[in-house]
Amino acid sequence: MPHPGRQWAERGGRHKDPDREPRRRRRATYNRYGGVRHLFAALDLAKDQLYGHIKPVKKRTQFLEFCRYLRTLYPPEVRIAIVCDNFSPHLTTKRCQRVGAWAAANNVEIAYTPTNSSWLNRIEAQFTALRYFALDGTDHADHKEQGSMIRRYIIWRNRHADDRRLRAVVDRTNVA
């Protein structure tokens, strides 16, 4: 989704290079013919690594797939904690015990942030940085192109976790 912000393309005008093609027009965002995509993401605080999967739907099955992936990153005897907001696919309910049963069987603790307190979750600042570095001022033609940009950002972010500009955006956003 295009956001106002820095534009990487050269601007048009009087001093424009006459041989350069004009910048393509930015599309409006009110039509979502291809639907939307959802980013499942996790932040390992000890390693300062970001992990992410892009999915076409955000339901309990996809959430558990991502949790299983996170579990494979650590030995089974290491207890891991996954901090989640109160979005319904993350919750264990009376009707669906899959999340709680999986967590208990796999040495995982699911911790939920209080309602309207997403700012307590440390990954929210990483989403701000992702928008700032990868999505602001862009106009992706399709989901594949946008997904590629997000994956490239995650790779860059994990290699440059101590980058001064990245730290400034994250520190400005972190309040907890």
Side-chain angles (χ1 to χ4, degrees):
M1 179 170 91
H3 292 280
R6 294 143 323 281
Q7 185 83 14
W8 62 266
E10 182 180 343
R11 297 187 181 276
R14 257 188 3 226
H15 306 291
K16 181 175 89 171
D17 179 9
D19 297 329
R20 190 182 62 79
E21 291 285 323
R23 182 172 56 195
R24 70 180 183 169
R25 184 175 167 273
R26 293 176 79 180
R27 293 173 287 123
T29 63
Y30 43 80
N31 293 328
R32 305 261 193 265
Y33 298 117
V36 297
R37 296 297 178 267
H38 303 275
L39 175 65
F40 288 91
L43 176 64
D44 183 334
L45 293 174
K47 297 178 187 174
D48 199 13
Q49 295 286 298
L50 186 64
Y51 304 98
H53 289 174
I54 299 170
K55 301 286 185 178
V57 292
K58 190 174 183 179
K59 295 184 178 178
R60 192 165 279 122
T61 302
Q62 289 76 21
F63 173 65
L64 285 170
E65 285 175 9
F66 187 64
C67 288
R68 287 183 190 106
Y69 163 73
L70 294 175
R71 178 73 264 183
T72 65
L73 299 175
Y74 304 93
E77 61 274 1
V78 173
R79 184 161 179 85
I80 63 173
I82 300 175
V83 179
C84 300
D85 58 14
N86 290 309
F87 185 55
S88 61
H90 303 159
L91 301 172
T92 294
T93 64
K94 288 182 181 180
R95 287 184 55 211
C96 184
Q97 297 287 319
R98 289 189 296 166
V99 173
W102 176 85
N106 290 282
N107 199 17
V108 173
E109 178 181 350
I110 306 283
Y112 300 101
T113 59
T115 305
N116 299 324
S117 300
S118 62
W119 52 271
L120 290 171
N121 195 341
R122 302 292 297 218
I123 200 167
E124 295 295 331
Q126 301 301 323
F127 294 150
T128 301
L130 181 135
R131 279 191 300 275
Y132 182 85
F133 287 106
L135 300 177
D136 281 356
T138 63
D139 185 21
H140 303 288
D142 56 18
H143 292 300
K144 184 177 180 182
E145 185 180 334
Q146 184 179 39
S148 175
M149 180 67 77
I150 291 169
R151 283 187 291 278
R152 286 177 35 214
Y153 166 76
I154 290 173
I155 292 167
W156 175 86
R157 186 249 173 252
N158 288 339
R159 289 185 181 155
H160 301 93
D162 57 349
D163 182 78
R164 178 181 50 83
R165 294 172 303 147
L166 176 64
R167 285 290 122 216
V169 171
V170 170
D171 290 345
R172 188 171 53 239
T173 307
N174 270 335
V175 293

